[in-house]
Amino acid sequence: MNEKEMVRLSKRLSSWLRHNPDAIGLRPDEAGWVRVQDLLSQAAAHSRGFTRAQLDLVVEQNNKKRFEFDASGTSIRARQGHSIEVDLGYTPADPPEILYHGTAERTLGLIMAEGLLPMRRHAVHLSADIATAVNVGGRHGRPAVLRVDTVAMRAAGHEFFVTGNGVWLVDAVPPQYLELLPTPR
């Protein structure tokens, strides 16, 4: 499987496991898990088939590590980013003092007025490093990076969660905890 095919399959999996399982007749459980055999058979039934070996490759080698298998390897889910109702079961975690959020510059006015909101997802996604935030922000235009004061947020009672691929999650980030960093180059 070449890189282009891997990206294509990763995007399909993201759509099915995070947003639209009905598109191929999947029924995730309350934690977002889908039996691998159901995923393979339903994808094939909808002319989108792939092999278990290809699935393993995407889970293991995808640079964003969006997916995970359960301990038995018989079920799969997306680690975060769902627009469907799921309870991922993450426990609160102590974040670093500063986290970052990457966005497109054109969204800054609204964000600085209203804060970071989950929009169509269940949580706001934050990263522990600026480079990741720049990469995320650049997906939809010229990137802007916001620094999130997690110390003050935790003191105000906000809870943070971390996924297996290092993405930090929080319900929302009010604007008083945000600082715009100089434009990344």
Side-chain angles (χ1 to χ4, degrees):
M1 173 182 277
N2 65 39
E3 184 68 25
K4 188 175 180 179
E5 293 167 331
M6 193 178 324
V7 168
R8 187 178 303 123
L9 180 54
S10 176
K11 287 182 177 186
R12 281 190 200 139
L13 292 171
S14 288
S15 176
W16 297 333
L17 297 176
R18 295 162 90 183
H19 309 297
N20 193 10
D22 291 337
I24 62 168
L26 295 175
R27 300 284 177 252
D29 70 12
E30 64 280 349
W33 294 106
V34 171
R35 287 179 5 108
V36 169
Q37 189 54 49
D38 293 345
L39 174 62
L40 295 172
S41 63
Q42 289 300 104
H46 288 82
S47 302
R48 300 286 188 166
F50 53 92
T51 66
R52 173 64 194 244
Q54 290 171 317
L55 180 62
D56 289 345
L57 194 63
V58 168
V59 172
E60 292 168 16
Q61 294 187 10
N62 179 271
N63 63 341
K64 296 182 181 172
K65 303 292 183 198
R66 286 185 172 132
F67 313 105
E68 63 185 344
F69 291 116
D70 68 355
S72 69
T74 60
S75 291
I76 186 172
R77 72 175 180 181
R79 294 178 189 252
Q80 75 273 333
H82 298 79
S83 59
I84 61 171
E85 190 63 39
V86 293
D87 179 0
L88 297 172
Y90 295 130
T91 58
D94 292 333
E97 290 183 10
I98 301 293
L99 289 171
Y100 303 92
H101 180 81
T103 190
E105 267 187 357
R106 69 180 182 280
T107 64
L108 286 173
L110 186 61
I111 289 172
M112 297 311 280
E114 296 183 8
L116 292 170
L117 304 172
M119 308 308 282
R120 294 180 307 248
R121 298 184 183 197
H122 291 280
V124 171
H125 295 190
L126 304 171
S127 60
D129 63 272
I130 293 173
T132 300
V134 169
N135 187 16
V136 169
R139 291 186 310 196
H140 302 290
R142 186 169 163 86
V145 176
L146 298 161
R147 183 185 337 206
V148 178
D149 183 350
T150 64
V151 173
M153 284 186 69
R154 290 206 57 227
H158 295 270
E159 287 188 320
F160 290 82
F161 305 85
V162 65
T163 67
N165 60 342
V167 175
W168 285 88
L169 307 175
V170 65
D171 289 339
V173 180
Q176 66 265 31
Y177 303 112
L178 297 171
E179 177 189 347
L180 179 62
L181 296 181
T183 303
R185 302 264 175 233

